[in-house]
Amino acid sequence: MNYKQEYIASTTSPEQFWLDKAHNIEWFSAPETAISSAENGYQSWFKGGQLNTSYLALDHHVNAGRGEKAALIYDSPVTNTTRTYTYNELLNEVATFAGALQGLGVSKGDRVIIYMPMIPQAAIAMLACARLGAIHSVVFGGFAANELAVRIDDATPSFIITASCGIEGAKQIPYKPLVDKAIENASHKPNGCVVFQRPQLHAELDSSFDHDWHSLMENSSPVSAVKVDATDPLYILYTSGTTGKPKGVVRDNGGHAVALHYSMGALYGIDKNDIFWAASDVGWVVGHSYIVYGPLIKGATSVMYEGKPVGTPDAGAFWRMIERHSINILFAAPTAFRAIRKEDPEGEFIKQYDLSSLRTIFMAGERLDPPTYYWTLEKTNKPVVDHWWQTETGWPICSNPMGIESMATKPGSSSVPTPGFNVKVLKGPDTEAEPGEKGSIAIQLPLPPGCLSTIWQDHSRLVNGYLREFEGYYSTGDNGYIDDEGYVFIMGRTDDVINVAGHRLSTGEMEEVLAAHPAIAECSVIGINDALKGQLPVGLVLLKDGANIEESELEKELVAQVRQSIGPVACFKRAIVVKRLPKTRSGKILRKLLRQIAADEPISVPSTIDDPSSVDEIAALMRDKGLVEAVNV
Ligand code: COA
Ligand code: AMP
């Protein structure tokens, strides 16, 4: 089948298409229907089917006689460690840790928060939860205690699993004090905390609450996988929205397994003998789908990397990894390649390594800017694929479907809609844009399997945030256009979400932190262009009458405050004092206009503006402060 036939089959008969794909995974009890209505009125996938995701990712391959094959390769330049786990070994670790969790009282439906660095134990903890039918929620290590506390209160976990430290380049980040502080700040109190002690830093444990990972493992026995319904939640992954409160994206077991299994073959062209490396973090959706679940469900080998593209120790890290582990597919964010290019513009490191195993480089997390695309293509001489997706969808919405048909590339485009995603550009309800015309990108319902099934504890947020804007469609929050050959071009967000180094962040959340400062009357946080990280947040702040603080001192305090409340990952480094912010007559800050000024785009001044002269004033100030930088990102 070519792409077109496959795509048409997926959108015209989704029921049959996905029921066929569901036959490719092992079920304890196979589903008889693909799409049905959930209790909350939304769609659900494979109702009636029973399976276990950890069983699929591990036992299935061991039972098929592939236990001695490599499942997970851990490579950590920051600790100078490499370790390969076979499927037999990984199954044993996961089943034993699941036994340990069960011994602590964790059972089906319980939530478990995992706050861990990029070590195999993070994947083991995720798979162990899945084995018991417990719902894991992994929180990225770059978030501060306060963010962790917010997630603890929303997910109400029975346990937290962490490690003594993370290692960021040359820095050690003690995790345990962060977890303790988060638990102290949260209203919900978990029953305990499991701590993996790393040799680099020992955490102090409280024997009445904390459990040592190693001792638990020594005293536990492996347990088998429990049956769960296809529609039971596998995990919650929090992502930024427009408000300060993150959204708990819920993923089911059945749809997720079918979609990821399909995507490994159809999009990445991976088979069981391949080695797949997603250079992301388990705290992000890419890490969930393509470090842990996708490659293992497929029975391939996944690579887990505890390091950076540069600085650990140099800009040759990616190429060294490819040669050392004979990696076939590399997946990373464009910002990583911009970082490499900055340090090694001529690609001298690339020449030092044998990249013959590498078939394709995939990029996502932000738009792949054409200069980075061309540099990577020219220097590596490998196909480079931009593919677009979101935490909510769990797998790519648009891609060059390399396993079905390798299509021509158009730089700046994430290629064509992947089978299952009926992508449209809308200008309003029931008004589709013409080819080449910009609009809001929406996906006609039903969404394919693997996408979010609800927002944890707040289904109305899914309905209001995604399904209300266009009846019968899921709104992606991105805008762009589709050209006359069906290629999709994503141009940016329609909301106040920004993308910093491939990380999705809420400006609203940062504004809440700034607004809490006693000197600040009003503020707005916008994303400015940055040649390395794509975007960087900047705070525009208006002082209260009589506030007596130096701008540089205020900036220092605000930077520290955001770091403490949200975390270093926010990369909040600049705040400038403004005399006024452009507003509507009803007092709403015109954020879109500020974004347009920052991006050096044509400005559309709305007729509702209170005082048009405020636009020139703020534009001049932003230019003076060097915030308007038209870079090609
Ligand atoms: N735990 C604790 N702190 C973390 C962290 C973690 N897991 N990840 C990042 N941080 C910290 C960093 O140490 C840094 O702190 P600092 O302000 O004290 O220096 C801060 O958060 C910002 O980190 P980052 O944005 O990663 O910046 P960097 O300068 O360290 O690295 C890049 C720049 C481009 C190399 C890096 O951002 C990168 O590799 N990005 C790819 C992102 C990605 O894979 N996204 C997933 C989508 S596919
Ligand atoms: P996240 O949920 O963190 O994966 O972020 C999803 C958002 O990142 C999308 O809604 C887009 O705004 C952006 N994004 C991800 N991948 C791409 C891409 N390939 N091209 C353009 N934008 C992207």
Side-chain angles (χ1 to χ4, degrees):
M1 239 193 212
N2 63 23
Y3 161 72
K4 206 163 187 178
Q5 290 163 330
E6 179 96 350
Y7 183 73
I8 289 171
S10 76
T11 47
T12 52
S13 348
E15 175 73 21
Q16 195 50 51
F17 182 86
W18 288 111
L19 217 42
D20 285 350
K21 304 299 174 205
H23 291 142
N24 297 330
I25 65 162
E26 187 182 341
W27 298 84
F28 295 147
S29 178
E32 283 168 15
T33 54
I35 319 168
S36 53
S37 226
E39 271 167 31
N40 57 23
Y42 188 52
Q43 61 183 48
S44 68
W45 283 95
F46 308 116
K47 205 189 248 176
Q50 287 199 310
L51 76 168
N52 181 287
T53 301
S54 163
Y55 177 94
L56 275 182
L58 301 166
D59 310 57
H60 172 79
H61 309 300
V62 170
N63 295 346
R66 281 182 277 112
E68 283 309 301
K69 186 184 146 44
L72 189 68
I73 299 172
Y74 164 61
D75 191 313
S76 166
V78 293
T79 59
N80 216 2
T81 317
T82 310
R83 167 151 191 209
T84 300
Y85 291 79
T86 63
Y87 272 95
N88 279 331
E89 287 167 335
L90 193 59
L91 171 58
N92 189 44
E93 295 278 326
V94 168
T96 309
F97 191 60
L101 289 178
Q102 196 177 59
L104 293 174
V106 174
S107 63
K108 189 170 163 182
D110 284 355
R111 275 81 55 214
V112 174
I113 281 191
I114 300 173
Y115 185 73
M116 287 191 120
M118 282 290 288
I119 53 175
Q121 286 69 28
I124 291 167
M126 290 163 77
L127 289 158
C129 289
R131 197 162 190 84
L132 298 176
I135 305 164
H136 62 69
S137 185
V138 183
V139 178
F140 177 61
F143 282 122
N146 176 57
E147 287 290 315
L148 186 55
V150 168
R151 287 152 175 81
I152 292 173
D153 278 337
D154 197 68
T156 58
S158 60
F159 274 85
I160 298 188
I161 304 172
T162 190
S164 54
C165 68
I167 300 167
E168 275 287 299
K171 284 178 296 185
Q172 275 178 7
I173 319 268
Y175 274 30
K176 185 63 179 30
L178 274 161
V179 172
D180 289 344
K181 190 157 175 235
I183 296 173
E184 194 186 311
N185 292 351
S187 311
H188 171 80
K189 303 294 172 201
N191 300 334
C193 181
V194 178
V195 184
F196 181 82
Q197 298 278 18
R198 302 189 74 183
Q200 292 77 16
L201 185 85
H202 196 85
E204 285 298 313
L205 302 191
D206 166 359
S207 60
S208 66
F209 187 76
D210 299 321
H211 302 265
D212 172 61
W213 175 294
H214 295 100
S215 322
L216 282 177
M217 291 293 270
E218 272 165 27
N219 296 307
S220 304
S221 306
V223 294
S224 46
V226 306
K227 274 186 194 166
V228 301
D229 288 337
T231 51
D232 281 338
L234 169 67
Y235 69 75
I236 306 166
L237 179 58
Y238 288 90
T239 190
S240 302
T242 41
T243 67
K245 192 171 182 276
K247 295 183 270 201
V249 165
V250 178
R251 195 93 55 214
D252 65 7
N253 274 274
H256 173 253
V258 172
L260 289 191
H261 184 274
Y262 172 69
S263 71
M264 289 308 295
L267 307 185
Y268 299 104
I270 279 282
D271 84 13
K272 290 184 174 52
N273 298 317
D274 286 330
I275 302 177
F276 186 90
W277 177 28
S280 179
D281 188 286
V282 285
W284 307 115
V285 66
V286 176
H288 282 62
S289 296
Y290 295 117
I291 295 174
V292 181
Y293 290 113
L296 297 180
I297 288 172
K298 186 71 184 175
T301 303
S302 184
V303 178
M304 190 172 201
Y305 175 66
E306 187 182 25
K308 299 254 175 186
V310 293
T312 57
D314 54 38
F318 274 23
W319 324 120
R320 187 174 306 116
M321 285 284 291
I322 290 163
E323 178 185 279
R324 182 185 293 163
H325 303 297
S326 305
I327 288 164
N328 303 114
I329 299 291
L330 167 64
F331 174 172
T335 188
F337 292 88
R338 288 198 296 269
I340 295 171
R341 180 185 173 197
K342 198 170 158 213
E343 292 205 1
D344 182 20
E346 298 310 317
E348 294 300 335
F349 276 112
I350 299 176
K351 297 177 198 152
Q352 294 173 26
Y353 296 97
D354 174 5
L355 304 188
S356 56
S357 62
L358 187 66
R359 292 200 295 267
T360 312
I361 299 173
F362 286 85
M363 298 203 206
E366 55 177 321
R367 176 174 170 263
L368 171 54
D369 52 294
T372 305
Y373 167 77
Y374 283 117
W375 181 85
T376 314
L377 182 73
E378 278 161 23
K379 300 293 177 214
T380 63
N381 208 15
K382 303 286 176 185
V384 176
V385 173
D386 179 15
H387 62 333
W388 166 58
W389 51 306
Q390 318 185 302
T391 303
E392 290 85 342
T393 63
W395 62 292
I397 310 164
C398 286
S399 182
N400 192 334
M402 299 298 276
I404 305 171
E405 180 186 348
S406 166
M407 304 181 62
T409 301
K410 294 193 185 186
S413 165
S414 47
S415 298
V416 291
T418 48
F421 288 98
N422 200 343
V423 180
K424 306 277 183 208
V425 179
L426 301 179
K427 288 174 61 194
D430 298 327
T431 323
E432 263 190 58
E434 296 294 324
E437 199 183 3
K438 246 173 103 171
S440 302
I441 307 206
I443 304 164
Q444 198 170 333
L445 298 174
L447 292 178
C451 297
L452 78 175
S453 55
T454 186
I455 298 291
W456 182 253
Q457 306 281 42
D458 198 356
H459 188 69
S460 63
R461 214 166 162 194
L462 184 146
V463 176
N464 296 329
Y466 300 92
L467 308 179
R468 274 268 150 80
E469 191 180 4
F470 305 111
E471 182 78 32
Y473 294 85
Y474 163 92
S475 301
T476 65
D478 284 312
N479 65 18
Y481 64 93
I482 303 183
D483 75 5
D484 50 7
E485 291 181 311
Y487 278 66
V488 180
F489 291 74
I490 305 297
M491 305 307 288
R493 298 284 305 185
T494 55
D495 56 16
D496 293 322
V497 165
I498 58 171
N499 198 312
V500 179
H503 305 143
R504 172 169 160 185
L505 297 165
S506 158
T507 53
E509 197 171 359
M510 292 186 225
E511 283 168 10
E512 282 180 23
V513 176
L514 303 194
H517 191 285
I520 289 181
E522 268 185 299
C523 64
S524 178
V525 173
I526 51 165
I528 59 159
N529 290 341
D530 181 74
L532 174 65
K533 298 196 175 182
Q535 284 186 296
L536 280 179
V538 170
L540 306 176
V541 303
L542 200 78
L543 296 186
K544 281 183 184 157
D545 285 346
N548 186 14
I549 185 163
E550 282 289 320
E551 186 165 356
S552 59
E553 181 53 31
L554 178 67
E555 183 174 66
K556 228 193 269 166
E557 289 179 15
L558 295 176
V559 167
Q561 200 52 47
V562 173
R563 200 175 166 91
Q564 211 194 340
S565 297
I566 298 177
V569 66
C571 289
F572 184 86
K573 303 260 160 74
R574 290 201 70 184
I576 61 168
V577 174
V578 299
K579 289 207 192 75
R580 55 188 175 154
L581 287 162
K583 287 185 178 176
T584 62
R585 280 188 284 279
S586 61
K588 261 181 80 179
I589 297 172
L590 290 162
R591 288 161 211 280
K592 188 171 167 197
L593 191 142
L594 291 171
R595 286 202 301 263
Q596 286 168 338
I597 297 173
D600 211 13
E601 284 173 2
I603 299 169
S604 46
V605 181
S607 57
T608 52
I609 193 162
D610 182 31
D611 178 358
S613 69
S614 61
V615 177
D616 292 337
E617 187 182 299
I618 194 98
L621 181 70
M622 282 164 72
R623 279 202 185 89
D624 280 356
K625 297 276 182 185
L627 301 181
V628 182
E629 191 193 10
V631 288
N632 196 1
V633 294

